[in-house]
Amino acid sequence: MEQTVLYSAEAGVALITLNRPQQLNSFNPEMHQALMASLKQAEADPAVRAIVLIGAGRGFCAGQDLNDRNISADQPMPDLGESIERFYNPLVKKITQLNKPVIAAVNGVAAGAGANLALACDIVIAAQSASFIQAFCKIGLVPDSGGTWILPRLIGPARAKALMLQGNKVSAEQAADWGMIWQCVADDVLASEAMALGQQLATQPTTGLGYIKQALLHSSTNTLEEQLDLERDLQRLAGRTEDYREGVAAFFAKRQPTFKGY
Amino acid sequence: MQAEQITAQQAEQPQSELASDPYEYLACDLTRRVLTIRFTHYQKRNALTNDCLAELAAVLEMADGDDNIGAVVLTGGAHCFAAGADLNELASQDAVATWQNPRPQLWQRIDSFSKPLLAAVNGYAFGAGLELVLLCDVVIAAEQTRFGLPEITLGLMPGAGGTQRLSRTVGKSLANQMVLTGMPIDARQACSAGLVSEVTLAALTLERTQQLAVVIASRAPLAVKAAKQALKQVPELPLSQGLKQERQLFSLLAATQDRQEGIDAFFSKRTPKYQGN
């Protein structure tokens, strides 16, 4: 059977490749399960300290494979909530709660859930020819996979609302200008840049980076008081990591720190 | 007798005696007047068998009579508080055996512990595990913790206070939903419903609970005991009776040395030294 997701781990970085290039890496149940399994594998492997997510072929991910949706008139109305509850929501939760940095290398079109999955990653780098489309409105649906939560937080409600109501295509360059993503790079260097970033992050204090993710994840829903308490608690834990000790020691010894990730 | 022996040895070595405990299902640690009791049979997800409850009841009775202990923290470790009763044990009992089961007495012994009992809950507290949580005076839980009474999914129902205490704790609708569906709730919901007093990071649950226990254990022991007694009778009594009892306990404390010490220390801006009398 076709392998819908490819997984490899090297030099502290897990490279996860969505691999249904003929279908622009759109989701079917197999790819859902394979992607979740890959994320769990990267999470559980202590040697992995950063994750890069990329698409095979010319697209990043076109969202849901509509061939899997039979909506002919003789069929009962589908329960789309079921597939969201079973597949998409756990994926977004896994990526955002994973205590290692996740980089999305958006190599081509990222549409629908594919766009929102990329935006759920911690650092998004896109190739110049890549684009982001909130395509849901064009078929009568609502942006899912966290899109309505994350997009207004990234680019503000005015732009998010217009994009979601019209389904406009946003170029990688525009996305970078708006702050929707971190960086737009030339097509031919996307993979190498993403891997270099992954390898650099893989040498950093991983546990501390995980705490930063956790703090930022809560910051948009917590009150200031709650967030101050969370910062206190996370700092309490961060201060007990060996990497913190190493970081301070290296600072005073004026040398490069060697972090172990815990 | 045995309890006295442990107490006597402990007076010399407050730490070590309880740490090298002889228990099969529990591990105990006494630090700063706080006894931490940890369930240790993780392979069975800390299932609350009769033997396990009997050990817990025995330790709590010992702790009740030990002046070196001001509060007790219950915990199940990082991944699971307690998964419920032991199904094998339950399945082996017919109606007569269930009728004669000493379990209700075990629960009663645990419930009659007179000092503050705190629960540090990680992972999940299901069935009997949640019923044990409901016996605790203060509950601190990690964000990821889930609480549930899944008995209904097995064709039975909660039998150790689950229906009664949960309803009195979180209110009718949520309690009914949990008992009738068997579906769990998470720590945030448990906190907003009043089952949990604080939600913490998983790695800090035990530490935070112990901090609170240390604070409680530093208060005047008789005042703490009287206050717990007043609080525990809340679901039992009508308000007028409760107020009367509260006033009686309040008056009782007027006869204690520690009350004088507490007020003196407040006025002379120093830390009180309570003697427990």
Side-chain angles (χ1 to χ4, degrees):
Chain A
M1 203 185 76
E2 172 197 33
Q3 261 203 306
T4 55
V5 172
L6 307 176
Y7 181 92
S8 65
E10 202 185 323
V13 182
L15 176 64
I16 300 176
T17 309
L18 304 176
N19 190 37
R20 300 183 73 225
Q22 304 308 317
Q23 293 82 21
L24 292 175
N25 306 317
S26 60
F27 276 107
N28 62 3
E30 292 79 51
M31 195 171 97
H32 267 300
Q33 277 156 4
L35 177 55
M36 182 55 106
S38 299
L39 288 168
K40 284 184 176 167
Q41 188 178 348
E43 183 178 38
D45 184 350
V48 168
R49 290 165 60 185
I51 296 158
V52 173
L53 181 63
I54 197 167
R58 60 194 177 88
F60 173 76
C61 174
Q64 173 66 36
D65 189 340
L66 291 177
N67 290 318
D68 279 14
R69 300 268 189 254
N70 185 347
I71 46 164
S72 52
D74 57 339
Q75 292 288 317
M77 292 305 234
D79 180 2
L80 297 186
E82 199 184 30
S83 102
I84 287 183
E85 201 166 353
R86 187 155 159 229
F87 295 126
Y88 289 101
N89 286 359
L91 261 185
V92 172
K93 283 185 195 165
K94 180 54 79 187
I95 290 171
T96 51
Q97 289 168 10
L98 223 150
N99 52 14
K100 302 170 181 181
V102 184
I103 300 157
V106 182
N107 50 299
V109 68
N116 293 337
L117 206 67
L119 297 177
C121 295
D122 303 312
I123 300 179
V124 187
I125 304 180
Q128 203 149 21
S129 65
S131 57
F132 297 82
I133 314 170
Q134 298 291 329
F136 305 89
C137 61
K138 306 217 171 197
I139 52 171
L141 294 183
V142 178
D144 59 26
S145 302
T148 59
W149 192 87
I150 189 128
L151 198 60
R153 286 175 166 81
L154 291 172
I155 58 173
R159 283 169 174 162
K161 203 184 273 183
L163 288 183
M164 288 181 166
L165 292 176
Q166 300 178 100
N168 325 44
K169 183 184 260 196
V170 180
S171 69
E173 226 157 38
Q174 179 73 85
D177 281 350
W178 277 352
M180 191 198 289
I181 64 171
W182 169 237
Q183 215 175 21
C184 166
V185 299
D187 287 14
D188 55 347
V189 297
L190 173 76
S192 57
E193 294 262 321
M195 285 309 284
L197 175 59
Q199 281 160 11
Q200 195 271 327
L201 286 173
T203 64
Q204 295 304 298
T206 311
T207 301
L209 299 188
Y211 293 152
I212 294 173
K213 277 187 73 165
Q214 206 174 335
L216 289 173
L217 180 63
H218 286 87
S219 75
S220 36
T221 48
N222 272 352
T223 62
L224 175 61
E225 283 72 20
E226 288 166 337
Q227 192 67 10
L228 288 170
D229 285 351
L230 179 62
E231 286 177 0
R232 173 203 62 206
D233 289 346
L234 289 170
Q235 203 72 296
R236 191 169 265 156
L237 295 175
R240 292 172 190 170
T241 60
E242 286 189 31
D243 282 345
Y244 169 60
R245 195 176 278 178
E246 165 66 8
V248 174
F251 176 80
F252 283 117
K254 296 181 178 161
R255 61 170 172 81
Q256 282 297 313
T258 309
F259 295 118
K260 292 187 249 175
Y262 51 85
Chain B
M1 181 62 200
Q2 201 189 353
E4 279 168 20
Q5 271 174 6
I6 291 172
T7 310
Q9 286 165 346
Q10 200 186 290
E12 294 167 20
Q13 285 180 300
Q15 279 281 354
S16 60
E17 198 47 47
L18 276 156
S20 64
D21 49 64
Y23 306 111
E24 193 176 342
Y25 302 96
L26 312 170
C28 297
D29 172 72
L30 179 59
T31 308
R32 300 177 70 189
R33 295 181 39 80
V34 170
L35 179 70
T36 300
I37 302 174
R38 186 164 49 85
F39 295 117
T40 55
H41 49 307
Y42 304 118
Q43 67 283 6
K44 292 200 95 177
R45 296 175 182 183
N46 298 336
L48 297 174
T49 59
N50 279 9
D51 289 347
C52 174
L53 286 181
E55 268 191 13
L56 178 60
V59 172
L60 289 177
E61 277 157 8
M62 180 273 291
D64 224 348
D66 186 338
D67 291 342
N68 293 312
I69 295 171
V72 170
V73 170
L74 273 183
T75 185
H79 304 296
C80 151
F81 182 76
D86 185 339
L87 281 182
N88 293 320
E89 199 174 84
L90 210 68
S92 67
Q93 290 165 357
D94 58 11
V96 176
T98 306
W99 188 264
Q100 292 173 333
N101 198 315
R103 213 169 161 82
Q105 284 77 48
L106 293 172
W107 283 110
Q108 211 162 28
R109 282 168 62 196
I110 294 166
D111 188 35
S112 61
F113 181 55
S114 74
K115 297 174 184 178
L117 187 58
L118 297 87
V121 193
N122 276 353
Y124 41 87
F126 284 172
L130 175 49
E131 288 172 312
L132 182 57
V133 163
L134 286 164
L135 287 188
C136 295
D137 302 301
V138 177
V139 184
I140 307 298
E143 267 178 5
Q144 297 84 350
T145 304
R146 292 191 304 156
F147 298 88
L149 292 172
E151 284 90 342
I152 200 83
T153 66
L154 303 168
L156 32 121
M157 61 175 281
T163 63
Q164 302 303 300
R165 290 200 178 88
L166 189 66
S167 204
R168 285 165 162 82
T169 305
V170 305
K172 174 181 135 183
S173 188
L174 181 57
N176 289 359
Q177 179 184 318
M178 289 173 68
V179 171
L180 298 175
T181 65
M183 283 157 59
I185 59 170
D186 64 20
R188 294 262 166 226
Q189 197 178 356
C191 193
S192 57
L195 173 61
V196 162
S197 63
E198 269 183 36
V199 178
T200 65
L201 297 173
L204 291 173
T205 317
L206 179 59
E207 187 177 323
R208 175 63 184 152
T209 313
Q210 285 171 328
Q211 279 173 356
L212 293 171
V214 165
V215 172
I216 292 170
S218 74
R219 307 299 187 210
L222 287 173
V224 168
K225 197 176 255 197
K228 168 162 172 165
Q229 203 178 322
L231 290 164
K232 273 202 78 158
Q233 69 190 4
V234 168
E236 314 274 349
L237 299 179
L239 179 61
S240 57
Q241 290 291 314
L243 290 172
K244 207 175 283 176
Q245 289 242 30
E246 183 195 70
R247 193 66 205 170
Q248 282 168 3
L249 288 162
F250 181 85
S251 310
L252 208 65
L253 290 178
T256 64
Q257 308 271 315
D258 281 348
R259 178 179 181 269
Q260 193 57 48
E261 165 66 9
I263 296 171
D264 284 351
F266 177 81
F267 282 123
S268 49
K269 295 178 181 167
R270 60 174 174 82
T271 308
K273 284 198 180 70
Y274 295 121
Q275 308 290 332
N277 52 13

